[in-house]
Amino acid sequence: MRTVSKDNITQAFLNYCSQDTDPRLKFVLEKLVHHLHDFVRETDLTHDEWRKGLELLYAAGEISTPERNEFVLFSDVLGLSSLVDMVNSPEDGTPSSVLGPFHVLGAPEAAVGADLKGDNEGKTVVVGGRVLTPDGQPVVGAELEIWQTADNGLYSNQDAAQPEYNLRSHMNADDDGRYLFSTVRPAPYTVPDDGPVGELLRATGRHPWRPSHLHFIVTAPGFRSLVTEVFPSDDPYLDEDAVFGVREKLVMEYQERTSLDGLPDDLEIRDRLTLPYYVVDFDFVLARAET
Ligand code: BEZ
Ligand code: FE
């Protein structure tokens, strides 16, 4: 197309894509460019604003390392990561939520009932529940990856004072789909705000806090993998998560207990528990994998 105008430039882009472009790629690009072009037309974007946007992306590249991906963080604080999660979450399963940058592979195996708290400071929490099918049956062969912050709001890979795999584990649920562990109550924390994402947050009067949470990846043969996190109902940041990860169905309660009554026998920490402690009861529902 020779005479490109602001009204036909979107079509011109599409015309330039060859006939044998992968259909899904063409569809996604068509929508992306359509919205990008509309965005410029609707905002009358100035050169300075366009340049500022590109400078933010450049700065994101400069600060990114294999351990820190500022582009993902941009996606998180813009709500893009959570929207992709929600669009892809099956209706009949536990909702997914952001993975975040602090998951590491290779966490040690822990048996059902294991203690992750060890020498960690903080309130003791007994977390348990079942991994279920959408019709309430136990999922056989379920595995859980668990990670969280310590009482100081830091993950083990952010804090040289913590042992390498502190408050991280991999657990095989039992044949009844049951998982159980004791741990420490995690604390709210801030997403990294010393880069261009922080600049954007400050420019828009936003804070970088996330409500405290426990992260899980739940997998089982024949089921869709679930990356999610659960949040306590009494967290001060529950309604203002910097990365929009909270969903109604992911909110749990820390129930205070002042006696050992009703505690499962297979809880490793049982004989060392001090009162009060807190119980979290949370079931995961896995959607069946598409065949
Ligand atoms: C996290 O939950 O670990 C996290 C998620 C998004 C951005 C930063 C941290
Ligand atoms: Fe987290």
Side-chain angles (χ1 to χ4, degrees), residues 67-69 72-73 76 99-104 147 157 189 192:
E67 288 77 39
R68 172 174 183 169
N69 189 328
V72 177
L73 196 55
D76 293 342
L99 172 70
F102 301 116
H103 175 247
V104 292
W147 71 105
N157 51 350
Y189 62 86

Side-chain angles (χ1 to χ4, degrees), residues 10 14 92 107 117 131 141 167 185 193 201 244 249 251 257:
T10 311
L14 292 173
D92 58 351
K117 183 171 188 239
V131 183
L167 300 170
R185 180 172 173 153
D193 66 346
L201 293 178
F244 309 96
K249 287 185 178 165
V251 177
R257 293 285 157 87

Side-chain angles (χ1 to χ4, degrees), residues 55-77:
E55 277 167 13
L56 276 183
L57 292 179
Y58 186 85
E62 278 201 312
I63 206 168
S64 290
T65 63
E67 288 77 39
R68 172 174 183 169
N69 189 328
E70 194 79 355
F71 294 99
V72 177
L73 196 55
F74 261 124
S75 164
D76 293 342
V77 302

Side-chain angles (χ1 to χ4, degrees), residues 102 147 155 189 210 213 215 229:
F102 301 116
W147 71 105
Y155 289 91
Y189 62 86
R210 295 213 65 202
H213 50 269
H215 285 278
E229 38 185 359

Side-chain angles (χ1 to χ4, degrees), residues 4 45 60-61 132 198 233 262:
V4 178
L45 199 72
L132 300 170
S233 56

Side-chain angles (χ1 to χ4, degrees), residues 23-253:
R24 176 69 186 169
L25 175 63
K26 191 166 180 203
F27 175 71
V28 172
L29 273 179
E30 177 181 343
K31 294 289 177 196
L32 176 68
V33 172
H34 181 87
H35 288 287
L36 271 180
H37 289 181
D38 272 354
F39 162 71
V40 174
R41 284 185 285 254
E42 285 168 21
T43 56
D44 283 327
L45 199 72
T46 66
H47 279 101
D48 279 353
E49 290 162 346
W50 168 75
R51 200 173 297 110
K52 180 67 194 166
L54 294 182
E55 277 167 13
L56 276 183
L57 292 179
Y58 186 85
E62 278 201 312
I63 206 168
S64 290
T65 63
E67 288 77 39
R68 172 174 183 169
N69 189 328
E70 194 79 355
F71 294 99
V72 177
L73 196 55
F74 261 124
S75 164
D76 293 342
V77 302
L78 290 174
L80 184 60
S81 312
S82 278
L83 191 52
V84 173
D85 276 340
M86 288 187 275
V87 164
N88 287 285
S89 267
E91 288 294 314
D92 58 351
T94 298
S96 60
S97 186
V98 290
L99 172 70
F102 301 116
H103 175 247
V104 292
L105 294 170
E109 293 294 324
V112 174
D115 176 47
L116 312 188
K117 183 171 188 239
D119 296 330
N120 283 277
E121 297 284 330
K123 291 180 174 158
T124 305
V125 184
V126 175
V127 185
R130 292 170 78 199
V131 183
L132 300 170
T133 66
D135 43 3
Q137 299 305 307
V139 168
V140 178
E143 299 181 29
L144 299 97
E145 286 270 324
I146 303 152
W147 71 105
Q148 64 168 93
T149 62
D151 193 38
N152 62 2
L154 294 172
Y155 289 91
S156 60
N157 51 350
Q158 296 177 289
D159 181 4
Q162 294 182 39
E164 186 179 6
Y165 289 111
N166 193 38
L167 300 170
R168 298 173 184 273
S169 72
H170 174 269
M171 183 172 290
N172 292 308
D174 69 17
D175 290 345
D176 214 19
R178 194 170 145 266
Y179 73 94
L180 178 71
F181 58 94
S182 48
T183 186
V184 64
R185 180 172 173 153
Y189 62 86
T190 58
V191 301
D193 66 346
D194 55 343
V197 166
E199 198 186 324
L200 179 76
L201 293 178
R202 282 184 291 281
T204 51
R206 284 176 57 184
H207 67 67
W209 287 91
R210 295 213 65 202
S212 63
H213 50 269
L214 297 161
H215 285 278
F216 292 89
I217 299 177
V218 190
T219 55
F223 291 86
R224 285 181 58 168
S225 298
L226 172 66
V227 177
T228 196
E229 38 185 359
V230 298
F231 305 86
S233 56
D234 59 353
D235 193 286
Y237 296 105
L238 195 65
D239 294 317
E240 43 188 282
D241 181 3
V243 302
F244 309 96
V246 179
R247 318 270 175 270
E248 193 70 45
K249 287 185 178 165
L250 298 178
V251 177
M252 49 73 166
E253 306 228 336

